[in-house]
Amino acid sequence: MGAGSAAAAESGVPESGVAESGVVEGTLPGFHPQLKEELRFPLAWGTSPIRDFRAWRRAARAKVEEHLFVGPDDGTPYAPEFAERAEADGYTRESVTLALTRHERVRGALLTPHGTGPFPAVLLLHDHGSKFDIGKEKLVRPWGDGEVRLASAQAWADRCFSGRFVGDELARRGYVVLALDALGWGDRGPITYEQQQALASNFFNLGSSLAGLMAREDARAAAFLAGLDRVDRRRVAAVGFSMGAFRAWQTAALSDDVAAAASVCWMTGLKEVMVPGNNILRGQSAYHMLHPGLARHLDFPDVASIAAPRPMLFFHGAQDSLFTAEGVRVAYEKLGAVWRSRHAGERLLTKVWPDLGHVFADRMQDEVFAWLDSVL
């Protein structure tokens, strides 16, 4: 076999340049290798012709905004309503209902430490997990919602968070915490796994986007949290696990109200994760994180880099089957190059936990808590 034939065999594309016809493993088009090759991410920092970093940030953020397919923040008043106040060990729980967009009011959990503020704060963003009966309750222990919801929340905490409620742990440590349901979860659902694709396509038919709505709502939630009198607006972080991790770095990229972000178990290069057998190829959950056409301009780590040089943390479990080791490596290298280019390498923390999978275990939490204390 000649060099050309060997290369063609390696890529899966015949020497003629014509891809296998039809649909192949993983429900990919036969010509998917060519489509991957065309993804050059020309707006990425270091590749883009824009050499001034602040100008690049503005251009990159504008490009992401363009692909949200959701109108810009129109300044709809939040008009918060506070209710269901209850005391806990070192903090106060409140239910808060507010307008994240002009279309809908959303109920969230707001935790405030005892003492005199203003306090640092965390926008806590829940995961996907194909579990829709709870959203904010995955991270904040529910109160006043009955035993069924509490049992579901505790089971999820046992599965993903070493039995802890991350929001309550943060509140005990002196952070104001805000957690809200994304559309389809908890009070805003529940949908079923099979309904996700229809929900997303209906958004597209309406000239909008499910993922774009989530991005816009998260940025609005960050601004609301930063604006509370009890919060030091200079010390607001976004923190999330799994889909919540995606939401955390995305919010940092889109909002100047976020001073730091910690993302656990969601960072990869796009090309490296789009391989047969990967969960992202199933559709369904992917639609909550899919901005059509954005990949022609920016990769996932390129979007996260819009937040540079603010402090950012990325953790990954080496046993996590949702992300390839190569995808994580590529993403971490891209992120590192951006932060180093800003002479801020010490503000970026990336770590792979060799013995852990897709979890936010207690020892990971403890490191995130200590990191937040150091950067906020």
Side-chain angles (χ1 to χ4, degrees):
M1 182 183 292
S5 298
E10 180 70 20
S11 68
V13 180
E15 282 187 88
S16 66
V18 178
E20 182 179 350
S21 63
V23 177
V24 297
E25 184 183 359
T27 324
L28 287 163
F31 49 87
H32 71 91
Q34 292 97 313
L35 294 179
K36 271 191 181 183
E37 181 60 28
E38 291 172 7
L39 294 178
R40 306 294 176 85
F41 311 119
L43 191 51
W45 174 248
T47 302
S48 167
I50 303 172
R51 296 306 180 195
D52 177 79
F53 190 75
R54 290 185 179 181
W56 173 80
R57 287 183 74 242
R58 289 193 296 270
R61 180 181 285 182
K63 186 60 67 174
V64 177
E65 293 271 359
E66 176 187 331
H67 286 77
L68 296 185
F69 300 140
V70 174
D73 183 356
D74 62 4
T76 296
Y78 292 108
E81 297 176 1
F82 300 92
E84 299 176 18
R85 185 184 178 97
E87 297 302 321
D89 179 20
Y91 59 98
T92 301
R93 301 171 170 137
E94 286 178 283
S95 172
V96 58
T97 303
L98 65 151
L100 289 180
T101 66
R102 66 182 181 276
H103 303 297
E104 185 178 14
R105 292 178 62 77
V106 179
R107 186 170 76 100
L110 182 64
L111 310 181
T112 304
H114 292 164
T116 304
F119 302 99
V122 170
L123 176 63
L124 203 50
L125 300 156
H126 70 73
D127 59 75
H128 185 289
S130 298
K131 182 174 178 59
F132 302 99
D133 62 313
I134 52 174
K136 58 188 177 296
E137 297 86 4
K138 294 179 178 183
L139 296 162
V140 172
R141 189 181 191 275
W143 71 99
D145 280 332
E147 293 300 318
V148 173
R149 184 166 284 195
L150 176 57
S152 181
Q154 186 61 63
W156 196 250
D158 292 342
R159 174 178 173 177
C160 298
F161 308 119
S162 299
R164 289 175 167 177
F165 287 97
V166 176
D168 297 71
E169 293 292 326
L170 283 163
R172 290 189 191 97
R173 286 167 166 79
Y175 292 87
V176 174
V177 174
L178 176 64
L180 299 150
D181 294 326
L183 184 63
W185 279 267
D187 295 333
R188 303 177 74 188
I191 59 173
T192 66
Y193 185 85
E194 294 75 16
Q195 289 174 331
Q196 295 175 93
Q197 209 139 294
L199 179 62
S201 66
N202 287 333
F203 265 92
F204 290 145
N205 282 327
L206 292 166
S208 189
S209 164
L210 178 61
L213 175 71
M214 180 181 288
R216 178 71 67 228
E217 289 188 344
D218 289 344
R220 282 266 296 174
F224 169 75
L225 181 59
L228 290 174
D229 290 342
R230 68 192 77 179
V231 169
D232 181 348
R233 67 174 311 116
R234 300 165 301 174
R235 296 193 292 160
V236 176
V239 176
F241 161 68
S242 192
M243 181 185 75
F246 175 99
R247 296 168 67 190
W249 57 253
Q250 178 175 255
T251 304
L254 294 176
S255 170
D256 292 331
D257 292 302
V258 174
S263 299
V264 180
C265 293
W266 213 115
M267 177 47 69
T268 181
L270 173 61
K271 291 184 181 182
E272 293 76 21
V273 79
M274 290 203 67
V275 293
N278 193 273
N279 189 61
I280 201 171
L281 301 188
R282 298 180 185 177
Q284 302 294 6
S285 63
Y287 280 97
H288 299 277
M289 296 160 278
L290 173 60
H291 304 302
L294 184 58
R296 289 187 174 273
H297 308 276
L298 296 160
D299 198 354
F300 296 129
D302 303 327
V303 175
S305 295
I306 296 170
R310 283 171 280 168
M312 297 276 276
L313 175 151
F314 295 89
F315 283 171
H316 170 69
Q319 306 305 313
D320 188 341
S321 61
L322 296 180
F323 300 95
T324 66
E326 178 67 3
V328 174
R329 183 192 66 79
V330 165
Y332 281 8
E333 286 184 358
K334 284 186 174 182
L335 293 165
V338 176
W339 263 259
R340 287 191 300 272
S341 78
R342 308 328 306 147
H343 309 289
E346 74 285 354
R347 294 185 178 183
L348 176 70
L349 176 58
T350 59
K351 180 174 179 176
V352 176
W353 298 71
D355 60 326
L356 294 178
H358 197 70
V359 294
F360 190 10
D362 50 4
R363 51 198 164 109
M364 302 168 90
Q365 294 170 37
D366 290 342
E367 288 202 16
V368 169
F369 299 153
W371 179 82
L372 288 171
D373 290 343
S374 72
V375 300
L376 290 181

